[in-house]
Amino acid sequence: MADLLLRNVVKRYGNYEAVRGISLEIPDTKFVALVGPSGCGKTTTLRMIAGLEDLSEGDICIGGRVINDVAPKNRDIAMVFQSYALYPHMTVFQNMAFGLRMRGLSKAEIRKNVEGAARILDISDLLGRRPRALSGGQRQRVAMGRAIVRHPKVFLFDEPLSNLDAKLRVQMRTEIKRVHQQVKTTTVYVTHDQIEAMTLADTVVVMNRGRIEQAGTPQELYHSPKTRFVAGFMGSPAMNFLPCLLEQNAAALTVRLADGTGFPVPESHLQRYRDAPGKPLLFGIRPEHITEPRGSVRGMFSEFTVVLDVVEPMGTETMVFFKLGGEAVSGRIDSGMSVPASGEKMRLVANMAHMHLIDPATDAVI
Ligand code: ATP
């Protein structure tokens, strides 16, 4: 186990900068997820850590030692890919033992490591089977087992769950988290799925166009995004963004939408927005903060009426879609509530304690 450091890491392919100066410190035993849209440079970053790509600039250190020029096999890193790349003619035991045999471990040591990892992954009964006789989830476990047996300093995962169906993905996600809690190996996990990143990682790193937009705990990124990109990327369905102006009336501030709808800014936010009145802004609010009026809660809730476009019952909640200030907006309604049909009016509240304002000139959250 060891800490991992990336210092101003750049990767160029010809004139194209795929990774544009990434610095990141991952303390020993921590789980970091790199998340971002396709092409943002997350796989390239992971491959540079693994040694499968050279760096154009910068340094990568493991346990305090610069490893830029260390061959992949000598980096003491184990990587789990999207395609599990198991040897089809070998049993599960042989697949997991392969790397250890290459390293010249004794038979007894190999057996102890493989059986230990198999217990952690709950695949002890499968050790005699060939990969073709395994389900997708079981193959994924074997691929993880092959990584665990090596007791590497760092685990790298590249979209390991994307070949699995939705239900299995959720199961394996929990499994990966459980395994990490047991083995505590420093981990970098690449995914385009923000839910996967948030559920698994101590630190989520949101990448965009070769740069880090923001790194922080899942809660920090979700509740205090620093840019419009992060605000829109984290959370599903995505945050609503509505063009607005901030009106000042004595000490009070009001978010004014294009159609005249006004939402009072809570007192707790007044200081932060003191320089914002007068310029065009974006009002950001998540769907779960637009709900049905809830009698018992008072204070930061601001009521308004909409005509519903679409109503989607989801079981645990009902999503409602409507136009507000000329923009398409979504809200989340408690599934126990009766919701009017599409085309009908509904009274809603915005929980302004969770409002965001974005400066469209810089895309920064104010
Ligand atoms: P995805 O989720 O689609 O895998 P990603 O965030 O992992 O995306 P990368 O695979 O890191 O993205 O690619 C980042 C950028 O670098 C992309 O624009 C890609 O086209 C480019 N790129 C990657 N590998 C090469 C290469 N060998 N030669 C040229 N360009 C490359």
Side-chain angles (χ1 to χ4, degrees):
M1 291 196 283
D3 50 357
L4 175 64
L5 179 71
L6 279 69
R7 204 159 42 210
N8 300 321
V9 171
V10 174
K11 177 66 188 180
R12 283 185 211 97
Y13 294 107
N15 288 332
Y16 179 69
E17 254 183 23
V19 174
R20 304 203 259 165
I22 284 197
S23 294
L24 189 63
E25 204 175 332
I26 306 173
D28 189 19
T29 75
K30 293 296 179 198
F31 195 122
V32 166
L34 304 183
V35 66
S38 184
C40 70
K42 46 197 191 300
T43 298
T44 305
T45 304
L46 199 75
R47 289 174 59 82
M48 285 192 283
I49 299 171
L52 303 173
E53 298 279 354
D54 290 332
L55 282 69
S56 306
E57 280 177 38
D59 288 316
I60 296 181
C61 307
I62 295 180
R65 170 174 168 238
V66 177
I67 53 150
N68 296 14
D69 298 321
V70 176
K73 65 178 173 41
N74 297 330
R75 289 189 181 198
D76 212 352
I77 278 175
M79 192 153 171
V80 178
F81 296 92
Q82 188 179 114
S83 61
Y84 319 129
L86 302 177
Y87 297 111
H89 58 286
M90 292 185 190
T91 63
V92 168
F93 184 96
Q94 288 163 338
N95 263 285
M96 285 169 66
F98 186 76
L100 303 181
R101 284 220 316 268
M102 292 291 107
R103 279 207 235 157
L105 263 66
S106 73
K107 274 197 168 158
E109 280 173 303
I110 291 175
R111 179 155 294 282
K112 184 167 150 252
N113 278 351
V114 171
E115 288 177 351
R119 264 196 304 279
I120 291 174
L121 292 160
D122 200 18
I123 51 172
S124 302
D125 296 345
L126 306 178
L127 288 174
R129 287 208 206 158
R130 298 260 159 86
R132 69 168 177 277
L134 301 175
S135 69
Q138 289 166 337
R139 281 180 211 171
Q140 179 61 59
R141 284 200 178 94
V142 177
M144 273 173 26
R146 202 172 41 180
I148 291 173
V149 290
R150 293 173 44 195
H151 298 295
K153 286 192 177 132
V154 178
F155 274 143
L156 304 178
F157 288 91
D158 190 3
E159 304 253 9
L161 306 183
S162 36
N163 286 341
L164 305 178
D165 67 43
K167 195 170 168 194
L168 197 52
R169 232 169 28 222
V170 173
Q171 269 175 23
M172 286 306 295
R173 195 171 76 194
T174 312
E175 191 83 346
I176 289 177
K177 187 150 187 163
R178 193 176 57 74
V179 168
H180 181 256
Q181 282 165 0
Q182 262 179 285
V183 301
K184 294 193 173 67
T185 305
T186 313
T187 299
V188 186
Y189 186 102
V190 161
T191 175
H192 61 272
D193 179 343
Q194 40 96 19
I195 306 265
E196 213 168 281
M198 284 183 64
T199 49
L200 282 169
D202 300 300
T203 300
V204 177
V205 177
V206 179
M207 291 183 63
N208 183 24
R209 297 186 191 177
R211 291 188 207 281
I212 294 179
E213 282 271 332
Q214 190 175 346
T217 64
Q219 285 80 2
E220 276 165 1
L221 293 195
Y222 194 78
H223 295 293
S224 311
K226 290 200 170 123
T227 64
R228 179 185 179 171
F229 182 85
V230 175
F233 190 79
M234 304 302 284
S236 175
M239 187 184 285
N240 299 295
F241 295 113
L242 298 133
C244 74
L245 281 172
L246 201 57
E247 267 177 22
Q248 179 138 30
N249 199 337
L253 292 176
T254 303
V255 171
R256 187 71 63 193
L257 304 185
D259 65 355
T261 312
F263 295 101
V265 173
E267 241 171 64
S268 53
H269 290 48
L270 292 180
Q271 176 68 9
R272 187 188 320 165
Y273 297 151
R274 66 187 181 281
D275 297 328
K279 49 183 175 185
L281 297 168
L282 281 178
F283 169 46
I285 187 149
R286 294 197 183 278
E288 62 267 40
H289 300 131
I290 296 183
T291 60
E292 74 286 358
R294 292 173 186 173
S296 57
V297 211
R298 301 213 149 261
M300 340 27 127
F301 289 81
S302 176
E303 289 205 19
F304 59 103
T305 301
V306 298
V307 176
L308 298 180
D309 280 338
V310 176
V311 176
E312 289 182 351
M314 315 266 292
T316 51
E317 71 217 354
T318 301
M319 293 299 301
V320 290
F321 298 86
F322 50 89
K323 285 265 167 48
L324 183 62
E327 301 292 318
V329 173
S330 60
R332 281 184 167 181
I333 308 299
D334 187 304
S335 66
M337 291 288 299
S338 73
V339 175
S342 66
E344 291 183 13
K345 284 188 177 172
M346 182 169 188
R347 195 117 187 95
L348 296 171
V349 293
N351 184 349
M352 295 300 283
H354 295 281
M355 69 169 290
H356 300 276
L357 282 181
I358 293 143
D359 181 348
T362 59
D363 274 347
V365 175
I366 302 173

